[in-house]
Amino acid sequence: MNKGVHDIISLRRNRDQRTRIFARILCFLFIQLSSFLVVCAQDVEQVINAKKIGVSGSISANNVNYSAIGVKRNRDAHTFYATGSLNLSLFEQWSIPLNFTYSNQDVELSHGVSFNQIGISPTYKWVKLHAGYSAMSFSPYSLSGHSFLGVGLELTPPIKLSASLMFGRLRKAEEPVGTEKETLFSYKRMGYGLKLNYKDKGDDLSVIAFGAKDDENSVKLIPDNTEITPMENLVLGVNVRKNLFSKIFVGVEYTNSMLTQDKRLENRGEKNTGVFVLTNGIMNANSSSSVYTAIKTDVSYQSQDFSVSMLYERVDPEYQTLGAYYFTNDMENISVTTAKQFLKGHLNISANAGLQRNDLKNEKKSRMNNVVGAVNVGIQTGAKTNLNLSYSNYSSFTNIRSDFEDINEVNQQQVYDTLDFTQVSQNMSLTLSQVLGDVKNADARQNLNVNLNVQMASEKQEGQNKKPGNKFYSTGITHSISWKNSGVSLSSSINGNYNDMESGDALTLGPTLSLSKRFKKNLRSSVSGSWNRSYQNGDFANRIYVIRCNNSYAVKKHSFTLSMNYMNRHEEKKYAEFTLSMGYNYSF
């Protein structure tokens, strides 16, 4: 066979192969388009028969008056705030939610933080639009709940492929106040991201790209020798989850983050490495650029009464993404979790154990190697008794808050400071719930609840130990009885807290009594009284008693509330606080 004939045959074979590939692609697209058109045809019929315009929402207004006797007022004497939500629907296909909040109370904001944010998230079929201030999440290692001012889209069509994308301002520029080295300021930061997801019969594949860049020209006057620099970040990740034999699941999440600490530095021959060689022109490395890796894998087995899973997670030291407010790096975690039901569900036991360590590069003077674990046992003996026992030695940041902060609180709308955290190393708890009397009695029902909690904690703030070796003990016993026919409920409890701290010990204990009554179906009133005493190192510290009255009335779409709280406190000097709150809500 001469060369010309051979070339003709080869060309025909290549052409036939391309034709078959093209035909398969057309067939696949035809199937997807057909299924999509069937759905659209159904949607057209629904639109014709649907309600043209729908309006729903609510408006609420609250007025709080506060006064103090014997002490200076610690908040405004008069506070008014209103909230509202409005949801518009068109042809039962478009959904446009709107929200607003108004208050006469002045709020002092920390540097670079603003709560004056307005955003809408209308929905049409499988399209959701975010406009204005919004927050989206792609993964814990890329975009993770960071708010932005801009636009975002979530596309979830009735096919196996879905997508999410965003573009907007992550942080606004803030000029420095002063010229000192420690003066705070911020560059304008813009962000963009895309997430593609494919799901099919329990299998899941996601591809993520997220980038953020500071504008070095957004701040005019920069203090000398400042450590704040304009940064740039690009994150690429993939998440795969596979279902094997219906009961076994395998997951792998792998993410790379390329971070430039100072984008003003010139490139001196540095080149993108790894997967980022594909992003030349989008983000280019310089002498302050580094690439970090985060990986998480898990294998799990699940059946009707038994489950077990194994997890491995590793995050490089200095790993950072500009799409998250807080991030834990320099960490390796290996854990096993299992749960089993016994005696037809009357006995449930779950446990997990793991090993955590930091200083993955052996560069720190101190290293943490921590064996962590937890056991939880739940026992249900018939219809009357439930018992739960748990123990854990996890090290985590937790805000420990005494029950008496709720008991003694006068202003129930007050927002608590959540900046003080406690790292709990060990926690043991017991909870017992017992139904008293005849469970078949349709009118009266009694319950007894007992709880005991022991925590051994070390408090940390801004990374420094403040109160190491503290121990917290709390217990409470509550008895309640309610009569269904009369609408009367009576509850009594006694609570106690004992804190053994490095600086000394503290004890607080006291009872609470409450009575509530339902009048017909739309009016309910309740009154409660609490009394407790506190001691410091065995000496009397204070005595507090609180009286609360709450009333609520509802008629059709309207509801009204009226509450009064009175607190009298006796310590070095006596003083009292009184709060009167009135509220109105209209739903439509």
Side-chain angles (χ1 to χ4, degrees):
M1 185 181 298
N2 59 40
K3 185 177 184 297
V5 175
H6 182 271
D7 292 340
I8 293 174
I9 295 175
S10 298
L11 288 173
R12 287 180 177 177
R13 288 178 178 175
N14 293 334
R15 184 181 60 187
D16 293 341
Q17 186 177 8
R18 289 194 299 268
T19 302
R20 287 193 297 268
I21 294 174
F22 184 68
R24 291 175 182 175
I25 294 174
L26 286 179
C27 183
F28 173 78
L29 293 176
F30 177 77
I31 295 173
Q32 296 294 325
L33 181 61
S34 298
S35 61
F36 182 71
L37 289 176
V38 170
V39 174
C40 290
Q42 296 173 350
D43 289 341
V44 170
E45 183 178 356
Q46 293 176 0
V47 169
I48 295 174
N49 300 321
K51 183 179 179 180
K52 302 302 184 288
I53 300 177
V55 180
S56 62
S58 65
I59 299 174
S60 65
N62 293 270
N63 184 78
V64 180
N65 294 281
Y66 167 79
S67 62
I69 302 174
V71 69
K72 184 180 179 180
R73 286 189 289 108
N74 56 15
R75 53 182 175 269
D76 292 341
H78 173 71
T79 303
F80 174 81
Y81 60 94
T83 60
S85 62
L86 176 67
N87 186 73
L88 302 176
S89 62
L90 305 176
F91 301 98
E92 297 182 0
Q93 301 294 320
W94 284 89
S95 178
I96 307 176
L98 301 170
N99 298 277
F100 79 90
T101 300
Y102 169 79
S103 175
N104 71 328
Q105 195 171 34
D106 295 331
V107 180
E108 294 183 0
L109 303 177
S110 60
H111 180 82
V113 179
S114 174
F115 294 102
N116 299 319
Q117 300 181 354
I118 300 175
I120 61 172
S121 298
T123 302
Y124 175 68
K125 296 182 181 178
W126 44 267
V127 179
K128 185 174 184 179
L129 170 68
H130 300 281
Y133 280 98
S134 303
M136 300 175 66
S137 293
F138 291 171
S139 76
Y141 309 110
S142 56
L143 179 63
S144 181
H146 200 299
S147 64
F148 62 92
L149 174 61
V151 295
L153 274 177
E154 296 183 45
L155 309 175
T156 55
I159 56 177
K160 299 175 181 179
L161 185 66
S162 61
S164 301
L165 57 157
M166 59 78 62
F167 176 79
R169 190 189 71 192
L170 298 172
R171 191 172 64 184
K172 66 178 181 180
E174 291 283 347
E175 293 288 341
V177 180
T179 58
E180 293 79 7
K181 175 182 178 182
E182 295 79 12
T183 301
L184 294 178
F185 65 95
S186 62
Y187 294 96
K188 178 183 177 182
R189 177 172 295 168
M190 301 297 294
Y192 56 92
L194 171 66
K195 178 180 180 180
L196 299 176
N197 180 258
Y198 179 83
K199 289 185 178 181
D200 183 23
K201 298 178 181 179
D203 299 335
D204 196 316
L205 172 63
S206 296
V207 178
I208 296 170
F210 169 77
K213 180 186 298 186
D214 290 344
D215 182 1
E216 62 268 33
N217 298 318
S218 60
V219 177
K220 297 179 180 178
L221 183 62
I222 301 176
D224 295 334
N225 301 321
T226 180
E227 296 180 357
I228 301 176
T229 58
M231 306 172 69
E232 187 174 4
N233 181 218
L234 182 60
V235 181
L236 300 176
V238 60
N239 189 353
V240 181
R241 190 161 186 84
K242 178 67 176 177
N243 183 5
L244 303 174
F245 312 111
S246 74
K247 294 182 179 181
I248 299 177
F249 298 87
V250 179
V252 177
E253 185 169 2
Y254 186 86
T255 308
N256 280 331
S257 176
M258 180 178 176
L259 183 68
T260 297
Q261 296 288 348
D262 191 345
K263 61 189 297 286
R264 298 171 300 183
L265 300 179
E266 296 181 359
N267 184 287
R268 298 182 178 179
E270 294 85 6
K271 296 182 179 180
N272 292 6
T273 60
V275 67
F276 294 102
V277 298
L278 304 174
T279 64
N280 287 320
I282 299 176
M283 178 178 176
N284 297 316
N286 64 21
S287 58
S288 68
S289 301
S290 300
V291 176
Y292 307 102
T293 301
I295 183 172
K296 182 170 70 173
T297 64
D298 67 277
V299 179
S300 62
Y301 171 84
Q302 298 178 359
S303 65
Q304 186 174 359
D305 60 355
F306 174 74
S307 65
V308 61
S309 63
M310 294 173 287
L311 179 142
Y312 173 79
E313 183 180 15
R314 187 185 191 281
V315 182
D316 280 351
E318 300 181 14
Y319 184 101
Q320 186 178 353
T321 170
L322 300 183
Y325 290 108
Y326 307 102
F327 198 84
T328 302
N329 54 27
D330 193 12
M331 177 267 295
E332 187 177 53
N333 178 32
I334 304 173
S335 64
V336 179
T337 303
T338 184
K340 174 65 177 175
Q341 292 184 356
F342 300 92
L343 304 176
K344 297 181 179 180
H346 291 284
L347 175 62
N348 295 275
I349 300 177
S350 61
N352 55 63
L355 175 65
Q356 294 179 351
R357 72 181 185 97
N358 66 351
D359 191 24
L360 302 185
K361 291 186 176 181
N362 299 321
E363 295 176 344
K364 297 180 179 179
K365 293 182 179 180
S366 62
R367 174 186 296 182
M368 181 194 73
N369 288 289
N370 192 18
V371 178
V372 298
V375 178
N376 187 82
V377 179
I379 303 173
Q380 181 179 5
T381 59
K384 283 191 171 186
T385 306
N386 286 287
L387 176 65
N388 187 274
L389 304 169
S390 66
Y391 168 81
S392 69
N393 74 332
Y394 282 108
S395 297
S396 61
F397 290 99
T398 306
N399 186 301
I400 296 179
R401 191 157 168 254
S402 167
D403 294 335
F404 289 98
E405 293 188 31
D406 289 323
I407 294 174
N408 298 331
E409 178 51 43
V410 174
N411 182 11
Q412 296 177 342
Q413 283 78 35
Q414 181 177 349
V415 179
Y416 288 97
D417 184 3
T418 59
L419 295 179
D420 293 327
F421 293 88
T422 301
Q423 187 180 31
V424 177
S425 57
Q426 294 188 80
N427 183 23
M428 293 160 281
S429 66
L430 178 150
T431 304
L432 172 65
S433 177
Q434 176 71 44
V435 178
L436 304 178
D438 186 4
V439 295
K440 297 181 180 180
N441 189 337
D443 183 29
R445 188 175 182 88
Q446 296 188 66
N447 290 276
L448 178 67
N449 293 280
V450 180
N451 65 78
L452 173 65
N453 187 270
V454 179
Q455 293 183 353
M456 300 178 185
S458 58
E459 187 177 279
K460 282 189 175 182
Q461 186 175 354
E462 297 182 355
Q464 297 183 2
N465 288 320
K466 297 294 181 180
K467 298 176 182 178
N470 297 338
K471 298 180 178 64
F472 303 86
Y473 306 87
S474 64
T475 184
I477 302 175
T478 302
H479 173 265
S480 62
I481 181 170
S482 60
W483 294 269
K484 182 178 180 181
N485 295 334
S486 62
V488 176
S489 297
L490 179 65
S491 174
S492 60
S493 64
I494 184 168
N495 296 275
N497 288 338
Y498 177 72
N499 302 336
D500 184 8
M501 301 170 289
E502 189 178 32
S503 59
D505 60 80
L507 173 66
T508 304
L509 53 86
T512 299
L513 181 66
S514 63
L515 173 68
S516 66
K517 166 68 176 176
R518 184 187 70 251
F519 300 91
K520 297 183 178 180
K521 293 183 178 180
N522 51 6
L523 176 62
R524 175 176 287 275
S525 297
S526 66
V527 59
S528 66
S530 302
W531 176 90
N532 55 77
R533 293 175 67 95
S534 297
Y535 301 87
Q536 295 282 349
N537 299 319
D539 299 326
F540 172 79
N542 60 61
R543 181 186 71 242
I544 303 172
Y545 62 85
V546 178
I547 298 175
R548 291 177 177 161
C549 297
N550 296 287
N551 302 274
S552 62
Y553 177 75
V555 52
K556 295 183 179 180
K557 298 180 179 181
H558 307 269
S559 63
F560 304 85
T561 59
L562 173 65
S563 64
M564 295 171 286
N565 297 320
Y566 173 79
M567 183 195 74
N568 186 287
R569 188 182 186 101
H570 179 201
E571 40 190 21
E572 294 180 356
K573 62 178 181 178
K574 295 182 181 180
Y575 66 91
E577 295 177 283
F578 179 78
T579 303
L580 174 66
S581 304
M582 294 175 287
Y584 168 75
N585 183 80
Y586 173 68
S587 301
F588 55 91

